[in-house]
Amino acid sequence: MPRLVNGERTITNPKPENAGKLLIFCEGYTEYNYLDYFRQYINYNLRAKYSDVVIEPINAEGNAMHVYDFAEDFLRDDENARKYVYYEKHLVFDCDAPENIQEVITLMKHSDHQYILDYSNLLFETWLVMHFQNLKPDHDNSKRAIIRLMAQYLGVTTYKKKKAEKGIIGQILGSNGNERIRSAIENAKLLEAYWKAEGKTMDKDIVEMNPSVDIYKLIERLLDEIVYLCG
């Protein structure tokens, strides 16, 4: 496992909030493997008394609507509803499908479960590429371009054949995962500022907002707690 704490710790808030109790519904193996790094750090740290990260992976076949449907069905079960009543509920999904992604986001935001939407537009790999470079809205940010960049940074011929392997996340984070994740977070904030200046919002303009990611907020929060606990 790459180290998420290496050398001098750097956190935005010297006493960050606890990550708390999080129930995360995530699309795909790559997303699960990435988030599982954080889950392991927090759930197995004896000082993280008030935090618990639960990840429910979904074989969503690249469809955000399937993530929403799975979460709704899961929480419709009385036992699950009671067990996770005090957990913050997150949906982690891509925006490349279905075609009516804007309508799906509206459904998610109006659910009684008050989901927090941790999206990546278009792909989760958009977020992963941001660990290595800034992405600019006026460049080619198509799925093909992003996958090509992933293969380039990982030194592989075909990324799609390896994307589900746990070792890929280790390669992305490298020997000092903290530094690369912080870089991705800053790149995400640059894009957020750009779209804000353009007057675009997730609520109505998600199709136009490529590239953009909101998952950075969850990751920054988890990383800050890890650094604080392990420092």
Side-chain angles (χ1 to χ4, degrees):
M1 175 183 291
R3 296 191 64 185
L4 295 184
V5 180
N6 207 12
E8 183 179 353
R9 62 180 186 167
T10 303
I11 55 180
T12 304
N13 182 347
K15 290 186 178 181
E17 293 182 20
N18 301 111
K21 296 182 181 295
L22 308 178
L23 175 61
I24 303 172
F25 298 94
C26 80
E27 171 188 345
Y29 295 107
T30 310
E31 289 90 329
Y32 177 85
N33 291 338
Y34 184 90
L35 290 165
D36 194 47
Y37 272 99
F38 299 89
R39 183 192 67 81
Q40 290 187 53
Y41 264 99
I42 289 176
N43 287 2
Y44 295 107
N45 190 306
L46 296 178
R47 295 177 61 196
K49 299 177 181 179
Y50 306 104
S51 296
D52 181 37
V53 180
V54 177
I55 307 173
E56 284 290 332
I58 302 159
N59 182 16
E61 299 179 354
N63 192 310
M65 187 66 188
H66 294 172
V67 177
Y68 170 75
D69 285 340
F70 182 95
E72 289 289 293
D73 288 343
F74 183 92
L75 293 168
R76 200 173 287 122
D77 180 270
D78 290 340
E79 184 177 346
N80 290 335
R82 286 193 299 270
K83 183 176 181 180
Y84 296 110
V85 65
Y86 296 118
Y87 280 63
E88 191 176 275
K89 299 163 183 70
H90 290 250
L91 302 181
V92 177
F93 61 94
D94 300 338
C95 294
D96 60 329
E99 290 186 2
N100 65 331
I101 184 64
Q102 194 69 68
E103 294 175 25
V104 175
I105 286 176
T106 299
L107 281 174
M108 292 173 170
K109 291 180 74 69
H110 286 84
S111 169
D112 291 339
H113 298 300
Q114 298 181 312
Y115 297 119
I116 294 175
L117 311 190
D118 304 313
Y119 73 85
S120 301
N121 192 10
L122 288 171
L123 305 168
F124 188 68
E125 281 75 14
T126 299
W127 165 247
L128 297 182
V129 166
M130 291 165 68
H131 288 61
F132 300 96
Q133 70 171 71
N134 185 20
L135 292 175
K136 298 182 178 180
D138 59 348
H139 289 189
D140 182 3
N141 298 294
S142 63
K143 291 193 285 186
R144 179 177 295 181
I146 294 298
I147 295 302
R148 185 170 60 245
L149 284 171
M150 283 301 301
Q152 174 185 315
Y153 281 119
L154 294 173
V156 297
T157 303
T158 306
Y159 167 72
K160 288 186 178 181
K161 291 183 178 180
K162 300 180 72 67
K163 63 177 292 183
E165 296 180 7
K166 284 197 172 185
I168 288 294
I169 303 303
Q171 286 182 250
I172 292 167
L173 299 185
S175 60
N176 187 354
N178 193 325
E179 182 178 336
R180 282 194 175 166
I181 297 166
R182 296 291 181 193
S183 179
I185 290 168
E186 290 308 309
N187 289 337
K189 289 178 179 179
L190 286 174
L191 284 173
E192 183 177 64
Y194 172 85
W195 293 117
K196 183 177 181 179
E198 292 290 308
K200 306 294 183 184
T201 69
M202 174 184 65
D203 293 344
K204 59 183 179 65
D205 306 302
I206 195 64
V207 176
E208 299 174 50
M209 294 170 60
N210 179 31
S212 64
V213 299
D214 224 31
I215 193 171
Y216 86 85
K217 296 172 183 174
L218 171 63
I219 301 305
E220 184 174 39
R221 182 172 154 194
L222 294 173
L223 186 57
D224 275 356
E225 175 159 352
I226 289 167
V227 173
Y228 182 71
L229 290 172
C230 298

